[in-house]
């Protein structure tokens, strides 16, 4: 066994031959070696971990993929960040929290929380060239953060593709003329003429509400969370089609998804521009825009406004789920990560702002047609995307065309975001089991089983009562658990790994670092150490207070206590991975508890090895685990001559020993 043999460096240097004479220091390439290299007694003695057996010489895996170009990475990240929340959540939050005044706390939270965390995740992934689990070789104590990210990403993928299934259903229905949720449809004549009243809300039902609740969801046939009812098979087919598309788009990793984003990331911008231009020509559009942006300065004193701003920045950027970290891990090592961070975050938030004009200009026209205030037709979440806005589109000339265009845009937005979440899961698994990359058949089988498993679990969300389960997972999957994961990521990198070392890593990646990059890093350093953790604690405190005081409900249905407890368990499962895996990391070390802790926050030697493989351009090889303490080499004068012929590195030492 290698561990039982005497360590021998290349050049036949052994401890038995180390009889160096005093007064004649050994030399290496003309330089005198330090005394602590030639005299082992002068070195502090560290307890070293036994090296694991090296793999056979022919153990090879496929080289880690890289983006075909920087635009593929930028478009993938923009497509991942610019999701459905930019269209159906930001405009609603803006008008609910003081109109244009909401932009003040929004941009403050963006630059003190969103951008620093975004840069941290991109830099960590790019420097480590690894997924959300393997990247924590930089601090093994915090490996649970990667596991927690994986749990959150799985919950998001579970319900997010259900939204794409709904979009498919509406997209297929949009090819009918007249649209099935418009008053022109014969089946809706009784609704538009007689103003059918909803017994629970006491107001008239619109055809779009009836179509959504009865034709799509079937929620009228369910009594609540305990009564899911049968699967709605038209939606089941749409969900299956959605997962099949995701499977084929991700089959070849970023080589396939990186090409798809050229369409899926740019098409929504084309649609938004068309909708803004069309909305500006409609009667009543200015009324909707005014409702969107009219400032209410008194709202700045409300804590809810600041929490809504922080949560919108946080969730719209996709921080803490592992998708950003995974996509950045396929970058070239010298990519300018600071430039990409600023471009993506500013582009994402600008998209949210301009999407509000496309939404509220058309909602203003609908309010003008109905003769009601804009506030009565405005909504958020699925209610905006699948009830209010489709109803507004049905009032436009050429409504079929506009409906097809809108739901194609929703499909593209959803698919891009799901690409990022799925990339986080697959990258994490492939990095932990790199042999899967070597066999395309095994990798395809893994991806197929993963998609099929998500499909089977997603069937619960497309039953008659599936919307209740959807709302439960949506409310808790990215709630306090995600905030805690991100808080520990920020604290761990800043104080355990070291914020100065992390900034130096970023400078090392940007070979020709412009002067402005170094100055900007000072700002980010202050955010990572002070501002960002404080603001995350504020968000977390508000979430817990709101969760305790506010009942969870969908429409008029109030969730039972056991349902809310189930949601809390989902969020707790994600963040509890941090202490569980921290205990595992400490238990693997030896010594006192203090020594174990110090060892568990020390980066592994293989932490930098990934970067050598990533930037070398050759085949990536599974490296043997190396000793975690410095080794002692005793040299003689004649032995130093041989050292000029070899690469005196830890890798060469290990390879020479095993030979």
């Amino acid at each position: 066994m290698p561990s039982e043999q005497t360590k021998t460096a290349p050049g036949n240097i052994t401890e038995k031959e180390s009889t160096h004479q005093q007064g004649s220091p050994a030399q290496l390439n003309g330089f005198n070696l330090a005394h602590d290299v030639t005299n082992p007694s002068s070195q502090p003695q560290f307890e070293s971990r036994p090296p694991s057996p090296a793999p056979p010489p022919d153990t090879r895996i496929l080289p880690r993929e890289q983006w075909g170009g920087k635009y593929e990475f930028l478009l993938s990240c923009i497509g991942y960040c610019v999701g459905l929340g930019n269209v159906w959540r930001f405009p609603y939050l803006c008008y609910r929290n003081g109109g244009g005044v909401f932009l003040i706390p929004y941009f403050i939270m963006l630059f003190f929380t969103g951008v620093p965390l975004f840069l941290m995740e991109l830099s960590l992934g790019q420097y480590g060239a690894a997924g959300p689990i393997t990247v924590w070789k930089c601090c093994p104590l915090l490996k649970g953060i990667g596991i927690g990210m994986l749990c959150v990403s799985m919950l998001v993928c579970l319900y997010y593709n259900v939204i794409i299934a709904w979009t498919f259903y509406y997209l297929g229905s949009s090819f009918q003329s007249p649209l099935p949720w418009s008053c022109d449809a014969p089946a809706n004549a009784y609704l538009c003429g007689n103003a059918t009243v909803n017994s629970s809300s006491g107001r008239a039902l619109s055809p779009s509400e009836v179509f959504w609740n009865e034709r799509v969801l079937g929620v009228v046939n369910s009594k609540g969370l305990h009564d899911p009812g049968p699967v709605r098979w038209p939606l089941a087919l749409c969900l299956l089609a959605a997962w099949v598309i995701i499977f084929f788009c991700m089959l070849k990793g970023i080589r396939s998804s990186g090409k798809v984003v050229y369409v899926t990331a740019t098409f929504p911008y084309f649609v938004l521009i068309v909708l803004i231009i069309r909305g500006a020509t409609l009667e009543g559009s200015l009324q909707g825009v005014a409702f969107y942006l009219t400032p209410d300065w008194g709202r700045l004193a409300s804590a809810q406004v600041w929490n809504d701003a922080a949560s919108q920045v946080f969730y719209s950027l996709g921080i803490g789920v592992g998708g950003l970290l995974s996509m950045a891990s396929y970058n070239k090592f010298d990519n300018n990560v600071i430039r990409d961070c600023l471009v993506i975050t500013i582009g994402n938030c600008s998209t949210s702002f301009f999407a509000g004009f496309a939404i509220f200009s058309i909602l203003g026209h609908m309010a003008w047609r109905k003769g009601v205030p804009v506030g009565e037709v405005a909504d958020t979440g699925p209610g905006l995307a699948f009830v209010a806005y489709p109803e507004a589109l049905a009032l436009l000339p050429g409504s079929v065309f506009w409906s097809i265009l809108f739901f194609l845009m929703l499909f593209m937005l959803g698919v891009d975001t799901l690409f990022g979440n799925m990339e986080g899961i697959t990258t994490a698994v492939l990095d932990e089991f790199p042999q899967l990359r070597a066999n395309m058949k095994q990798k395809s089988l893994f991806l197929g089983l993963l998609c099929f498993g998500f499909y089977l679990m997603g069937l619960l969300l497309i039953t008659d009562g599936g919307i209740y389960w959807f709302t439960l997972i949506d409310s808790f999957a990215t709630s306090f658990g995600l905030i805690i994961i991100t808080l520990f990521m920020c604290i761990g990198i800043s104080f355990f790994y070291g914020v100065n070392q992390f900034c130096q890593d970023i400078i090392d990646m940007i070979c020709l670092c412009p002067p402005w990059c170094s100055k900007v890093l000072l700002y980010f350093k202050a955010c990572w150490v002070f501002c960002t953790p404080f603001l995350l604690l504020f968000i977390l405190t508000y979430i817990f207070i709101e969760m305790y005081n506010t009942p969870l409900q969908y429409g008029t249905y109030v969730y039972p206590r056991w349902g809310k407890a189930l949601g809390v368990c989902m969020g707790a499962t994600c963040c509890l991975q941090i202490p569980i895996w921290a205990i595992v990391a400490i238990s693997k070390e030896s010594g006192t508890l203090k020594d174990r802790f110090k060892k568990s926050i020390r980066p592994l030697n293989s932490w930098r090895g990934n970067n050598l493989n990533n930037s070398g351009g050759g085949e990536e090889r599974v490296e043997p685990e190396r000793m975690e303490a410095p080794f002692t080499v005793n040299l003689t004068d004649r032995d130093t001559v041989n050292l000029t012929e070899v690469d005196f590195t830890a890798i060469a030492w290990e390879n020479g020993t095993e030979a």
Side-chain angles (χ1 to χ4, degrees), residues 169 207 221 304 365 462-463 500 582 653:
Y169 191 89
N221 303 319
Q304 181 186 1
H365 174 69
I462 53 174
T463 57
N500 291 327
W653 176 277

Side-chain angles (χ1 to χ4, degrees), residues 577-591:
Q577 303 300 320
I578 300 175
I580 291 174
W581 289 94
I583 294 173
V584 171
I586 291 176
S587 65
K588 289 182 178 180
E589 305 296 342
S590 58

Side-chain angles (χ1 to χ4, degrees), residues 15-156:
E15 292 187 5
K16 293 181 180 180
E17 294 175 341
S18 58
T19 56
H20 187 269
Q21 299 177 359
Q22 293 185 355
S24 178
Q27 291 187 343
L28 176 60
N29 294 338
F31 295 92
N32 291 337
L33 290 177
H35 176 65
D36 58 355
V37 175
T38 61
N39 186 4
S41 62
S42 66
Q43 282 189 322
Q45 298 300 315
F46 295 90
E47 182 180 351
S48 60
R49 301 177 184 174
S52 58
D58 58 344
T59 300
R60 299 273 176 175
I61 60 174
L62 292 178
R64 207 169 194 279
E65 299 168 308
Q66 288 188 345
W67 296 104
K70 63 180 180 180
Y71 294 111
E72 288 186 10
F73 170 68
L74 283 174
L75 288 175
S76 295
C77 285
I78 290 175
Y80 169 68
C81 297
V82 179
L84 297 170
N86 298 70
V87 174
W88 74 20
R89 193 168 186 265
F90 177 84
Y92 174 82
L93 290 179
C94 200
Y95 96 78
R96 191 184 76 175
N97 291 303
V101 172
F102 180 70
L103 298 177
I104 297 175
Y106 179 75
F107 281 106
I108 290 176
M109 290 296 181
L110 171 66
F111 287 109
F112 285 100
T113 304
V115 179
L117 289 173
F118 197 91
L119 177 62
M120 175 175 282
E121 197 163 339
L122 286 187
S123 302
L124 190 62
Q126 181 172 310
Y127 187 83
I133 298 178
T134 309
V135 78
W136 289 103
K137 287 182 177 182
C138 68
C139 183
L141 182 75
L142 299 179
K143 183 179 180 180
I145 293 178
I147 306 291
M149 288 180 173
L150 194 64
C151 294
V152 173
S153 190
M154 292 178 71
L155 287 173
V156 172

Side-chain angles (χ1 to χ4, degrees), residues 550-569:
T550 307
L552 180 64
Q553 61 185 67
Y554 174 78
T556 57
Y557 173 75
V558 179
Y559 281 72
R561 183 173 298 178
W562 66 267
K564 196 172 181 179
L566 184 61
V568 172
C569 288

Side-chain angles (χ1 to χ4, degrees), residues 252-307:
K252 294 184 179 180
I254 61 171
R255 285 179 296 174
S256 55
S257 63
K259 301 298 184 292
V260 174
V261 293
Y262 279 105
V263 177
T264 58
T266 56
F267 182 77
Y269 286 95
F270 166 74
V271 177
L272 283 176
I273 292 173
V274 171
L275 290 176
I276 289 175
I277 295 174
R278 183 67 181 99
T281 64
L282 297 174
E283 189 73 28
S285 60
L286 292 180
Q287 179 186 354
V289 173
F291 184 80
Y292 172 45
L293 294 178
T294 300
D296 180 6
W297 297 100
R299 295 290 293 165
L300 284 177
S302 172
Q304 181 186 1
V305 174
W306 292 87
N307 178 73

Side-chain angles (χ1 to χ4, degrees), residues 430-506:
L430 292 178
D431 283 346
E432 289 295 302
F433 304 97
Q435 62 273 17
L436 289 176
R437 280 200 179 97
N439 192 321
M440 189 63 187
K441 184 177 180 181
Q442 290 183 358
K443 181 182 176 181
S444 302
L445 181 61
F446 159 71
L447 184 60
L449 290 175
L450 183 66
C451 293
F452 186 66
F454 277 129
Y455 171 72
L456 292 180
M457 290 187 289
L459 291 177
L460 174 64
L461 307 183
I462 53 174
T463 57
D464 287 340
I467 188 63
Y468 298 123
W469 288 95
F470 174 91
T471 304
L472 180 69
I473 299 175
D474 183 33
S475 300
F476 287 98
T478 56
S479 182
F480 65 91
L482 185 59
I483 302 294
I484 291 175
I485 288 172
T486 312
L487 177 62
F488 272 89
M489 179 182 71
C490 185
I491 293 175
I493 294 296
S494 300
F495 299 102
F496 291 170
Y497 182 71
V499 68
N500 291 327
Q501 178 62 51
F502 189 63
C503 290
Q504 185 59 49
D505 292 344
I506 296 176

